[in-house]
Amino acid sequence: MTTEATRTTQTNGAQVATMSGAEILARSLKQQGVDYLFGVVGFPITEFAAAAQREGIRYIGMRNEQAASYAAQAAGYLTGRPQGCTVVSGPGVVHALAGLANAKANWWPMILIGGASAVYQNGMGAFQEEQQVLIAHPFCKYAHAVEDPARIPYYVEQAIRTSLYGRPGPVYLDLPDDILQGEVPEEKIRWARVVPEPPRTTVPPESVQAALAALKQSQNPLVIVGKGMAWARAEDEVRDFIERTQLPFLATPMGKGVVPDDHPLSVAAARTTALQGADTIFLLGARLNWILHFGRPPRYRPDVRVIQLDIAAEEIGTNVPTDVALVGDGRAVMAQINAALESDPWQYPAETTWRTQLESKARENAQVSAAMMADRSMPMNYYVALQAVQDAMPKDAIIVSEGAGTMDIGRTILLNYDARTRLDAGSYGTMGVGLGFAIAASVVNSGRRIVAVEGDAAFGFSGMELETMARHKLPITTVVINNNGIGGGVSQLRGDRQPPPSVLLPGARYEKVIDAFGGRGYYVEDPDDLKAALEAANSGDGPSVVNIAIAPQARRKPQQFAWHTGRDE
Ligand code: ADP
């Protein structure tokens, strides 16, 4: 294989073509389906990033390694193949650990390529020397250092396969300077086979029958759709199942859109009642962790039966014993269940006490939210601001959401109509993922509108990524829901006191940051100005920022339970 980058070297008097480790790495990644690479260049990876561009990988230079590592995992989740992040040695890898940890908590694929100091300087106190494989290891499915440039394709194949197969997750490859620079005669390079799509595992027919029997016995059934089904690309099968059975369903935050949020069988508006009253839960690609209140009382009945579909056998029974285990790929198993229903149809009855209970609670909750939305006083509340964001949202937008109140309240107001159209703080509850996620969503869905709805605190973690958006002319609307603090601040700083820990600068004009990069900024205080600003921000080229000032003490409507279930509940 020869490229414009191929050089020759003299071996035993003959000229042979060579490739550098950086070039072999770039070509291996491209062969394995890595089409996007996010990073911050420097020692010793600059030449690798340039080689990646020559191979046709889109390289997005970011402003901070954390944001780059968040972007890579969102790109992996959205494309269905691990995508890449590359960072400099030492501190660069340390910063990118944040992304590995977040990817592992979400079980999303990504490959981190860390530059490293030269092997022949190991232990000498080399520039940015660090035990990178060791520190990456707890956050990865696989972490390895490459010791020979000729073997790079071998390691890349192994890393990509591990990242993608079974339950996906992050992987790490350590690339020392001398390995990246090493020249290898082309005939010595052993190219690896391309990792095929993951096998889609199915379950025994008797497990399908057991699951359907449990649903048929249930008085108060509930389907919970998690982001595992979004990853599995199971949206057609899950929709088919819901239509066939007419079962009520709820989505987890990133399971939203697998079945559209406005589907008549969604009981999202009666979430607490649905969880508390269900006698049988069909858990599809979701874990009974904090997001689902551990599946335990007081949020669930103590005798709740669980039918659990998950690709990871070790997940079966976490926190609550599972009655029927379906260990397999979400899409393949849902197709099996639909096939069984095709030959022996069954529907949950149209009129039951359970349905009536859920519908009346949903109506009651809608009235409380409507009252909050009708309050158009200034400074405005969350509900008014977020409803305006929803009203101006293109239907096919990808929504990024983070921040405490902004994300919690936004989950019910911002609607998703398709799978993988919501990215948020996720299983790790990480604040600061938003702008990296938005950039990834934009580059893998060229031209599609991305709307990142950010609390002001969450925005601050990676605000300089606005420059990345401007440089790449990405049509991203960043909405800052600004309450002057972490969980709310104050209207004015007092000159005689230090700012309290949760307070950020009152009245900060975040929209002006985008002016510095030639983008469009809008500042809104009056609810009547929201529509025009949001519509303008969502049209036109390149990035825009809408900074919406809300009341520093704006809160969520009263909840039956605290935001997460404590030990004493
Ligand atoms: P959520 O945050 O939406 O509740 P979680 O991340 O907690 O979702 O759970 C997702 C689950 O989906 C994980 O336990 C994971 O093992 C599982 N999963 C991942 N890929 C697949 C797949 N292809 N088929 C079925 N389940 C999957």
Side-chain angles (χ1 to χ4, degrees), residues 334-349:
M334 290 315 287
Q336 286 183 281
I337 294 175
N338 289 335
L341 286 165
E342 178 71 26
S343 49
D344 185 10
W346 169 80
Q347 267 191 5
Y348 180 62

mmCIF file with all atom_site columns, all heavy atoms in Angstrom, residues 334-349:
data_model
loop_
_atom_site.group_PDB
_atom_site.id
_atom_site.type_symbol
_atom_site.label_atom_id
_atom_site.label_alt_id
_atom_site.label_comp_id
_atom_site.label_asym_id
_atom_site.label_entity_id
_atom_site.label_seq_id
_atom_site.pdbx_PDB_ins_code
_atom_site.Cartn_x
_atom_site.Cartn_y
_atom_site.Cartn_z
_atom_site.occupancy
_atom_site.B_iso_or_equiv
_atom_site.pdbx_formal_charge
_atom_site.auth_seq_id
_atom_site.auth_comp_id
_atom_site.auth_asym_id
_atom_site.auth_atom_id
_atom_site.pdbx_PDB_model_num
ATOM 1   N N   . MET A 1 334 ? -36.360 -7.960  20.819 1.00 0.00 ? 334 MET A N   1
ATOM 2   C CA  . MET A 1 334 ? -37.681 -7.361  20.580 1.00 0.00 ? 334 MET A CA  1
ATOM 3   C C   . MET A 1 334 ? -38.302 -7.930  19.301 1.00 0.00 ? 334 MET A C   1
ATOM 4   O O   . MET A 1 334 ? -39.524 -8.130  19.224 1.00 0.00 ? 334 MET A O   1
ATOM 5   C CB  . MET A 1 334 ? -37.598 -5.838  20.499 1.00 0.00 ? 334 MET A CB  1
ATOM 6   C CG  . MET A 1 334 ? -37.303 -5.142  21.817 1.00 0.00 ? 334 MET A CG  1
ATOM 7   S SD  . MET A 1 334 ? -38.233 -5.724  23.241 1.00 0.00 ? 334 MET A SD  1
ATOM 8   C CE  . MET A 1 334 ? -39.859 -5.077  22.911 1.00 0.00 ? 334 MET A CE  1
ATOM 9   N N   . ALA A 1 335 ? -37.462 -8.222  18.311 1.00 0.00 ? 335 ALA A N   1
ATOM 10  C CA  . ALA A 1 335 ? -37.985 -8.835  17.085 1.00 0.00 ? 335 ALA A CA  1
ATOM 11  C C   . ALA A 1 335 ? -38.531 -10.228 17.400 1.00 0.00 ? 335 ALA A C   1
ATOM 12  O O   . ALA A 1 335 ? -39.585 -10.627 16.872 1.00 0.00 ? 335 ALA A O   1
ATOM 13  C CB  . ALA A 1 335 ? -36.890 -8.915  16.023 1.00 0.00 ? 335 ALA A CB  1
ATOM 14  N N   . GLN A 1 336 ? -37.858 -10.979 18.282 1.00 0.00 ? 336 GLN A N   1
ATOM 15  C CA  . GLN A 1 336 ? -38.368 -12.300 18.685 1.00 0.00 ? 336 GLN A CA  1
ATOM 16  C C   . GLN A 1 336 ? -39.732 -12.170 19.369 1.00 0.00 ? 336 GLN A C   1
ATOM 17  O O   . GLN A 1 336 ? -40.652 -12.947 19.102 1.00 0.00 ? 336 GLN A O   1
ATOM 18  C CB  . GLN A 1 336 ? -37.404 -12.953 19.684 1.00 0.00 ? 336 GLN A CB  1
ATOM 19  C CG  . GLN A 1 336 ? -36.118 -13.499 19.105 1.00 0.00 ? 336 GLN A CG  1
ATOM 20  C CD  . GLN A 1 336 ? -35.318 -14.174 20.218 1.00 0.00 ? 336 GLN A CD  1
ATOM 21  O OE1 . GLN A 1 336 ? -34.659 -13.504 21.010 1.00 0.00 ? 336 GLN A OE1 1
ATOM 22  N NE2 . GLN A 1 336 ? -35.389 -15.506 20.286 1.00 0.00 ? 336 GLN A NE2 1
ATOM 23  N N   . ILE A 1 337 ? -39.838 -11.180 20.253 1.00 0.00 ? 337 ILE A N   1
ATOM 24  C CA  . ILE A 1 337 ? -41.098 -10.999 20.993 1.00 0.00 ? 337 ILE A CA  1
ATOM 25  C C   . ILE A 1 337 ? -42.216 -10.605 20.026 1.00 0.00 ? 337 ILE A C   1
ATOM 26  O O   . ILE A 1 337 ? -43.336 -11.127 20.097 1.00 0.00 ? 337 ILE A O   1
ATOM 27  C CB  . ILE A 1 337 ? -40.906 -9.952  22.115 1.00 0.00 ? 337 ILE A CB  1
ATOM 28  C CG1 . ILE A 1 337 ? -39.925 -10.508 23.158 1.00 0.00 ? 337 ILE A CG1 1
ATOM 29  C CG2 . ILE A 1 337 ? -42.231 -9.572  22.756 1.00 0.00 ? 337 ILE A CG2 1
ATOM 30  C CD1 . ILE A 1 337 ? -39.550 -9.560  24.257 1.00 0.00 ? 337 ILE A CD1 1
ATOM 31  N N   . ASN A 1 338 ? -41.898 -9.715  19.093 1.00 0.00 ? 338 ASN A N   1
ATOM 32  C CA  . ASN A 1 338 ? -42.921 -9.306  18.118 1.00 0.00 ? 338 ASN A CA  1
ATOM 33  C C   . ASN A 1 338 ? -43.345 -10.481 17.243 1.00 0.00 ? 338 ASN A C   1
ATOM 34  O O   . ASN A 1 338 ? -44.532 -10.603 16.885 1.00 0.00 ? 338 ASN A O   1
ATOM 35  C CB  . ASN A 1 338 ? -42.402 -8.154  17.258 1.00 0.00 ? 338 ASN A CB  1
ATOM 36  C CG  . ASN A 1 338 ? -42.302 -6.861  18.048 1.00 0.00 ? 338 ASN A CG  1
ATOM 37  O OD1 . ASN A 1 338 ? -43.003 -6.679  19.049 1.00 0.00 ? 338 ASN A OD1 1
ATOM 38  N ND2 . ASN A 1 338 ? -41.410 -5.970  17.637 1.00 0.00 ? 338 ASN A ND2 1
ATOM 39  N N   . ALA A 1 339 ? -42.402 -11.344 16.909 1.00 0.00 ? 339 ALA A N   1
ATOM 40  C CA  . ALA A 1 339 ? -42.749 -12.516 16.093 1.00 0.00 ? 339 ALA A CA  1
ATOM 41  C C   . ALA A 1 339 ? -43.697 -13.427 16.869 1.00 0.00 ? 339 ALA A C   1
ATOM 42  O O   . ALA A 1 339 ? -44.674 -13.960 16.316 1.00 0.00 ? 339 ALA A O   1
ATOM 43  C CB  . ALA A 1 339 ? -41.481 -13.268 15.684 1.00 0.00 ? 339 ALA A CB  1
ATOM 44  N N   . ALA A 1 340 ? -43.443 -13.580 18.173 1.00 0.00 ? 340 ALA A N   1
ATOM 45  C CA  . ALA A 1 340 ? -44.326 -14.410 18.997 1.00 0.00 ? 340 ALA A CA  1
ATOM 46  C C   . ALA A 1 340 ? -45.717 -13.786 19.069 1.00 0.00 ? 340 ALA A C   1
ATOM 47  O O   . ALA A 1 340 ? -46.741 -14.488 19.035 1.00 0.00 ? 340 ALA A O   1
ATOM 48  C CB  . ALA A 1 340 ? -43.730 -14.571 20.403 1.00 0.00 ? 340 ALA A CB  1
ATOM 49  N N   . LEU A 1 341 ? -45.774 -12.461 19.147 1.00 0.00 ? 341 LEU A N   1
ATOM 50  C CA  . LEU A 1 341 ? -47.068 -11.772 19.207 1.00 0.00 ? 341 LEU A CA  1
ATOM 51  C C   . LEU A 1 341 ? -47.798 -11.829 17.859 1.00 0.00 ? 341 LEU A C   1
ATOM 52  O O   . LEU A 1 341 ? -49.014 -11.781 17.809 1.00 0.00 ? 341 LEU A O   1
ATOM 53  C CB  . LEU A 1 341 ? -46.872 -10.311 19.626 1.00 0.00 ? 341 LEU A CB  1
ATOM 54  C CG  . LEU A 1 341 ? -46.542 -10.101 21.103 1.00 0.00 ? 341 LEU A CG  1
ATOM 55  C CD1 . LEU A 1 341 ? -46.009 -8.683  21.334 1.00 0.00 ? 341 LEU A CD1 1
ATOM 56  C CD2 . LEU A 1 341 ? -47.770 -10.349 21.982 1.00 0.00 ? 341 LEU A CD2 1
ATOM 57  N N   . GLU A 1 342 ? -47.013 -11.914 16.813 1.00 0.00 ? 342 GLU A N   1
ATOM 58  C CA  . GLU A 1 342 ? -47.614 -12.021 15.476 1.00 0.00 ? 342 GLU A CA  1
ATOM 59  C C   . GLU A 1 342 ? -48.393 -13.333 15.365 1.00 0.00 ? 342 GLU A C   1
ATOM 60  O O   . GLU A 1 342 ? -49.507 -13.366 14.869 1.00 0.00 ? 342 GLU A O   1
ATOM 61  C CB  . GLU A 1 342 ? -46.492 -11.949 14.418 1.00 0.00 ? 342 GLU A CB  1
ATOM 62  C CG  . GLU A 1 342 ? -46.922 -12.093 12.982 1.00 0.00 ? 342 GLU A CG  1
ATOM 63  C CD  . GLU A 1 342 ? -47.688 -10.869 12.479 1.00 0.00 ? 342 GLU A CD  1
ATOM 64  O OE1 . GLU A 1 342 ? -47.469 -9.763  13.022 1.00 0.00 ? 342 GLU A OE1 1
ATOM 65  O OE2 . GLU A 1 342 ? -48.517 -11.047 11.565 1.00 0.00 ? 342 GLU A OE2 1
ATOM 66  N N   . SER A 1 343 ? -47.780 -14.435 15.891 1.00 0.00 ? 343 SER A N   1
ATOM 67  C CA  . SER A 1 343 ? -48.476 -15.718 15.764 1.00 0.00 ? 343 SER A CA  1
ATOM 68  C C   . SER A 1 343 ? -49.527 -15.898 16.861 1.00 0.00 ? 343 SER A C   1
ATOM 69  O O   . SER A 1 343 ? -50.463 -16.673 16.685 1.00 0.00 ? 343 SER A O   1
ATOM 70  C CB  . SER A 1 343 ? -47.489 -16.876 15.733 1.00 0.00 ? 343 SER A CB  1
ATOM 71  O OG  . SER A 1 343 ? -46.580 -16.754 16.768 1.00 0.00 ? 343 SER A OG  1
ATOM 72  N N   . ASP A 1 344 ? -49.371 -15.193 17.974 1.00 0.00 ? 344 ASP A N   1
ATOM 73  C CA  . ASP A 1 344 ? -50.356 -15.335 19.051 1.00 0.00 ? 344 ASP A CA  1
ATOM 74  C C   . ASP A 1 344 ? -50.604 -13.942 19.650 1.00 0.00 ? 344 ASP A C   1
ATOM 75  O O   . ASP A 1 344 ? -50.086 -13.600 20.710 1.00 0.00 ? 344 ASP A O   1
ATOM 76  C CB  . ASP A 1 344 ? -49.783 -16.309 20.110 1.00 0.00 ? 344 ASP A CB  1
ATOM 77  C CG  . ASP A 1 344 ? -50.789 -16.605 21.199 1.00 0.00 ? 344 ASP A CG  1
ATOM 78  O OD1 . ASP A 1 344 ? -51.973 -16.223 21.044 1.00 0.00 ? 344 ASP A OD1 1
ATOM 79  O OD2 . ASP A 1 344 ? -50.390 -17.200 22.225 1.00 0.00 ? 344 ASP A OD2 1
ATOM 80  N N   . PRO A 1 345 ? -51.452 -13.137 18.987 1.00 0.00 ? 345 PRO A N   1
ATOM 81  C CA  . PRO A 1 345 ? -51.594 -11.737 19.406 1.00 0.00 ? 345 PRO A CA  1
ATOM 82  C C   . PRO A 1 345 ? -52.187 -11.582 20.801 1.00 0.00 ? 345 PRO A C   1
ATOM 83  O O   . PRO A 1 345 ? -53.001 -12.397 21.234 1.00 0.00 ? 345 PRO A O   1
ATOM 84  C CB  . PRO A 1 345 ? -52.533 -11.148 18.346 1.00 0.00 ? 345 PRO A CB  1
ATOM 85  C CG  . PRO A 1 345 ? -52.515 -12.104 17.206 1.00 0.00 ? 345 PRO A CG  1
ATOM 86  C CD  . PRO A 1 345 ? -52.251 -13.453 17.812 1.00 0.00 ? 345 PRO A CD  1
ATOM 87  N N   . TRP A 1 346 ? -51.736 -10.519 21.458 1.00 0.00 ? 346 TRP A N   1
ATOM 88  C CA  . TRP A 1 346 ? -52.295 -10.173 22.776 1.00 0.00 ? 346 TRP A CA  1
ATOM 89  C C   . TRP A 1 346 ? -52.198 -8.671  22.964 1.00 0.00 ? 346 TRP A C   1
ATOM 90  O O   . TRP A 1 346 ? -51.224 -8.043  22.542 1.00 0.00 ? 346 TRP A O   1
ATOM 91  C CB  . TRP A 1 346 ? -51.505 -10.887 23.895 1.00 0.00 ? 346 TRP A CB  1
ATOM 92  C CG  . TRP A 1 346 ? -51.869 -10.341 25.257 1.00 0.00 ? 346 TRP A CG  1
ATOM 93  C CD1 . TRP A 1 346 ? -52.982 -10.675 25.990 1.00 0.00 ? 346 TRP A CD1 1
ATOM 94  C CD2 . TRP A 1 346 ? -51.157 -9.356  26.031 1.00 0.00 ? 346 TRP A CD2 1
ATOM 95  N NE1 . TRP A 1 346 ? -53.005 -9.957  27.172 1.00 0.00 ? 346 TRP A NE1 1
ATOM 96  C CE2 . TRP A 1 346 ? -51.897 -9.148  27.222 1.00 0.00 ? 346 TRP A CE2 1
ATOM 97  C CE3 . TRP A 1 346 ? -49.982 -8.649  25.841 1.00 0.00 ? 346 TRP A CE3 1
ATOM 98  C CZ2 . TRP A 1 346 ? -51.485 -8.256  28.209 1.00 0.00 ? 346 TRP A CZ2 1
ATOM 99  C CZ3 . TRP A 1 346 ? -49.565 -7.752  26.830 1.00 0.00 ? 346 TRP A CZ3 1
ATOM 100 C CH2 . TRP A 1 346 ? -50.311 -7.560  28.003 1.00 0.00 ? 346 TRP A CH2 1
ATOM 101 N N   . GLN A 1 347 ? -53.228 -8.101  23.597 1.00 0.00 ? 347 GLN A N   1
ATOM 102 C CA  . GLN A 1 347 ? -53.206 -6.670  23.909 1.00 0.00 ? 347 GLN A CA  1
ATOM 103 C C   . GLN A 1 347 ? -53.616 -6.453  25.347 1.00 0.00 ? 347 GLN A C   1
ATOM 104 O O   . GLN A 1 347 ? -54.536 -7.124  25.828 1.00 0.00 ? 347 GLN A O   1
ATOM 105 C CB  . GLN A 1 347 ? -54.220 -5.927  23.034 1.00 0.00 ? 347 GLN A CB  1
ATOM 106 C CG  . GLN A 1 347 ? -53.620 -5.399  21.791 1.00 0.00 ? 347 GLN A CG  1
ATOM 107 C CD  . GLN A 1 347 ? -54.551 -4.437  21.063 1.00 0.00 ? 347 GLN A CD  1
ATOM 108 O OE1 . GLN A 1 347 ? -55.624 -4.097  21.550 1.00 0.00 ? 347 GLN A OE1 1
ATOM 109 N NE2 . GLN A 1 347 ? -54.115 -4.013  19.906 1.00 0.00 ? 347 GLN A NE2 1
ATOM 110 N N   . TYR A 1 348 ? -52.979 -5.496  25.996 1.00 0.00 ? 348 TYR A N   1
ATOM 111 C CA  . TYR A 1 348 ? -53.439 -5.068  27.316 1.00 0.00 ? 348 TYR A CA  1
ATOM 112 C C   . TYR A 1 348 ? -54.763 -4.333  27.100 1.00 0.00 ? 348 TYR A C   1
ATOM 113 O O   . TYR A 1 348 ? -54.849 -3.474  26.215 1.00 0.00 ? 348 TYR A O   1
ATOM 114 C CB  . TYR A 1 348 ? -52.381 -4.153  27.949 1.00 0.00 ? 348 TYR A CB  1
ATOM 115 C CG  . TYR A 1 348 ? -52.741 -3.653  29.320 1.00 0.00 ? 348 TYR A CG  1
ATOM 116 C CD1 . TYR A 1 348 ? -52.922 -4.544  30.381 1.00 0.00 ? 348 TYR A CD1 1
ATOM 117 C CD2 . TYR A 1 348 ? -52.913 -2.301  29.559 1.00 0.00 ? 348 TYR A CD2 1
ATOM 118 C CE1 . TYR A 1 348 ? -53.265 -4.088  31.640 1.00 0.00 ? 348 TYR A CE1 1
ATOM 119 C CE2 . TYR A 1 348 ? -53.246 -1.830  30.816 1.00 0.00 ? 348 TYR A CE2 1
ATOM 120 C CZ  . TYR A 1 348 ? -53.430 -2.730  31.856 1.00 0.00 ? 348 TYR A CZ  1
ATOM 121 O OH  . TYR A 1 348 ? -53.772 -2.271  33.094 1.00 0.00 ? 348 TYR A OH  1
ATOM 122 N N   . PRO A 1 349 ? -55.804 -4.675  27.900 1.00 0.00 ? 349 PRO A N   1
ATOM 123 C CA  . PRO A 1 349 ? -57.137 -4.124  27.615 1.00 0.00 ? 349 PRO A CA  1
ATOM 124 C C   . PRO A 1 349 ? -57.170 -2.592  27.559 1.00 0.00 ? 349 PRO A C   1
ATOM 125 O O   . PRO A 1 349 ? -56.403 -1.911  28.236 1.00 0.00 ? 349 PRO A O   1
ATOM 126 C CB  . PRO A 1 349 ? -57.988 -4.635  28.785 1.00 0.00 ? 349 PRO A CB  1
ATOM 127 C CG  . PRO A 1 349 ? -57.261 -5.810  29.323 1.00 0.00 ? 349 PRO A CG  1
ATOM 128 C CD  . PRO A 1 349 ? -55.808 -5.612  29.039 1.00 0.00 ? 349 PRO A CD  1
#
